[in-house]
C-alpha cells in the first residue's frame, strides 16, 4: 500500500485496502497511517481528517503517529485553529502526545514568529512526559536569530545545555550565521573556539560562516588564521571559503594580495567561479583600478568562466567612480538593450552613480 501511494497515488492504494478487507485481512493502524500520510501528501487534508474519524468504525483506534501526520499537514497549510482542536481531541481520547507532536507545533509557531507561544508549548512538554530535544530548541533559536534577538538566542542555547540537551552543529551554525550577519563576529569566533570542548566539531559551513563574517568587517587577517586552522583539522576549504577571503582582501584595499591569493588557487586544485572573479574585480574597482578590473574580465573570459550580471554592474560602477559617469551610463544602457543586465539591476546601479 505504501509503495502504491508513492507510485500510483492514493486512489489505487484504496483499491488495495478494499481487496485486503475482502480477503479477510484486517488493516491495522500502520496501514491506516500509510494511507492518511498519502492523502495528506496529495493535499487532501479534509479527506484525511474524515479518514481519521472513521477509523474506530473499522475497529482501529488512531495512535499518536496518526494524529502527528494530520497535525503536520494542518500546520503546513496554516490551519492552526484546526490543529489546536485536533490536539484537544487527541488528549480527550487519552492519546498522549509525543515529542514529535510538540515539535510540529513549536516549528509552526516559530515560523509564524509566535515565539512566546512556542515557548509556552515547550514548557508544557514535561507535563506529558516529554523532554525537549534539539529539534524542539532549534526552531526557537532560529526564530530569535531571525528577529535579531541574539541575547535571547544565546540564553536559550545555555538553557538547552543546562537541561541536558546539548546543541548540535546545526544549532551552532544557525547562531553563528545570525551573529556574523549582525556584525558580532568576536562573539562568533569565541563560540567557534569553544565547539571542540563542547564535543561538537565544526564542519566546513561553520568555518565558512565565520570566515565570511570576519572578511566583511575588515578582519581578513583573523579570517586567514581560521583558514589555516580548518586546514589543520583536515577540513578542505571550498570556493565559498576562498571567495569570502578574496572579497575581504579587496574591501580592505589589499588588491595585489588578493590577486596573488587568487592565482594561488590553481595550485590548490580550486577552479574559480564568477563569484570569485567578481570579488577580485570589486576590490580593484574600489581601489580605482578599473583598468585592471577590465583586464581581469578579459582573463576571466579567456579561462572559460562566463561573466554574470554582477560582473558587468561591478565594472560599470567602477567606470562611473573613475569620473566617467556618462560613458558608464551609455554602456549600461547598451547592456540592458542586449538583455545582459536586467532593468531592475540597472536602476540600482544608476542610483549608486
Amino acid at each position: 500500500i505504501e509503495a502504491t501511494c508513492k507510485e500510483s497515488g492514493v486512489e489505487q492504494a484504496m483499491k488495495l485496502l478494499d481487496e485486503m478487507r475482502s480477503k479477510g485481512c484486517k488493516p491495522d493502524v500502520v496501514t491506516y497511517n500509510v494511507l492518511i500520510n498519502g492523502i495528506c501528501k496529495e493535499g487532501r487534508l479534509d479527506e484525511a481528517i474524515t479518514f481519521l474519524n472513521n477509523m474506530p468504525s473499522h475497529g482501529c483506534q488512531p495512535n499518536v503517529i496518526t494524529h502527528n501526520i494530520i497535525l503536520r499537514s494542518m500546520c503546513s497549510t496554516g490551519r492552526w485553529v484546526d490543529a489546536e482542536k485536533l490536539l484537544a481531541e487527541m488528549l480527550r481520547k487519552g492519546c498522549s502526545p509525543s515529542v514529535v507532536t510538540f515539535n510540529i507545533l513549536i516549528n509552526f509557531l516559530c515560523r509564524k514568529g509566535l515565539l512566546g507561544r512556542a515557548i509556552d508549548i515547550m514548557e508544557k512538554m514535561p507535563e506529558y512526559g516529554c523532554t525537549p530535544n534539539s529539534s524542539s530548541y532549534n526552531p526557537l533559536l532560529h526564530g530569535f536569530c531571525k528577529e535579531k534577538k541574539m541575547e535571547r538566542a544565546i540564553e536559550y542555547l545555555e538553557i538547552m545545555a543546562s537541561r541536558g540537551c546539548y546543541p548540535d552543529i546545526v544549532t551552532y551554525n544557525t547562531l553563528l550565521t545570525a551573529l556574523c550577519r549582525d556584525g558580532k563576529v568576536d562573539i562568533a569566533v569565541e563560540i567557534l573556539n569553544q565547539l571542540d570542548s563542547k564535543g561538537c566539531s565544526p564542519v566546513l559551513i561553520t568555518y565558512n560562516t565565520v570566515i565570511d563574517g570576519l572578511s566583511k568587517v575588515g578582519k581578513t587577517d583573523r579570517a586567514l588564521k581560521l583558514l589555516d586552522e580548518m586546514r589543520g583539522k583536515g577540513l578542505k576549504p571550498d570556493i565559498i571559503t576562498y571567495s569570502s577571503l578574496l572579497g575581504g582582501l579587496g574591501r580592505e584595499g589589499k588588491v595585489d594580495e588578493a590577486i596573488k591569493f587568487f592565482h594561488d588557487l590553481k595550485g590548490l586544485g580550486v577552479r574559480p567561479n564568477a563569484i570569485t572573479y567578481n570579488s577580485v574585480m570589486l576590490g580593484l574597482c574600489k581601489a580605482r583600478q578599473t583598468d585592471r578590473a577590465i583586464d581581469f574580465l578579459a582573463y576571466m573570459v579567456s579561462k572559460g568562466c562566463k561573466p554574470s550580471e554582477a560582473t558587468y554592474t561591478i565594472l560599470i560602477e567602477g567606470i562611473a567612480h573613475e569620473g566617467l559617469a556618462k560613458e558608464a551610463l551609455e554602456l549600461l544602457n547598451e547592456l540592458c538593450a542586449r538583455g545582459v543586465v536586467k532593468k531592475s539591476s540597472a536602476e540600482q546601479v544608476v542610483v549608486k552613480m
Side-chain angles (χ1 to χ4, degrees), residues 100-166:
V100 173
T101 313
F102 287 107
N103 288 351
I104 290 168
L105 301 175
I106 290 167
N107 194 46
F108 170 79
L109 290 168
C110 289
R111 285 204 319 270
K112 293 294 181 181
L114 302 170
L115 303 183
R117 292 184 70 180
I119 291 170
D120 290 341
I121 294 274
M122 182 185 287
E123 295 305 319
K124 288 179 181 177
M125 289 177 69
E127 295 176 22
Y128 297 93
C130 297
T131 302
N133 59 19
S134 60
S135 296
S136 314
Y137 287 101
N138 284 349
L140 264 178
L141 290 168
H142 182 77
F144 285 130
C145 291
K146 188 177 179 181
E147 294 187 3
K148 298 187 177 182
K149 296 178 178 177
M150 300 313 302
E151 293 78 10
R152 290 282 278 159
I154 293 171
E155 176 192 343
Y156 261 82
L157 190 72
E158 292 170 354
I159 289 172
M160 184 178 177
S162 70
R163 292 177 177 176
C165 179
Y166 297 100

Side-chain angles (χ1 to χ4, degrees), residues 21 26-27 32 49-62 93:
R21 286 170 175 160
K26 186 179 178 182
Y32 287 111
I49 294 168
T50 301
F51 206 84
L52 168 74
N53 293 333
N54 289 338
M55 281 177 64
S57 66
H58 291 289
C60 186
Q61 291 296 325
K93 290 179 178 177

Side-chain angles (χ1 to χ4, degrees), residues 89-104:
E89 182 68 11
M90 180 180 172
L91 295 171
R92 188 185 67 77
K93 290 179 178 177
C95 182
S96 298
S98 65
V99 173
V100 173
T101 313
F102 287 107
N103 288 351
I104 290 168

Side-chain angles (χ1 to χ4, degrees), residues 134 138-139 141-142 157 160 167-177 200-201 203 205-206:
S134 60
N138 284 349
L141 290 168
H142 182 77
L157 190 72
M160 184 178 177
D168 57 19
I169 196 61
V170 175
T171 312
Y172 283 113
N173 286 344
T174 299
L175 185 61
L176 290 171
T177 298
C200 191
S201 298
V203 294
I205 191 173
T206 317

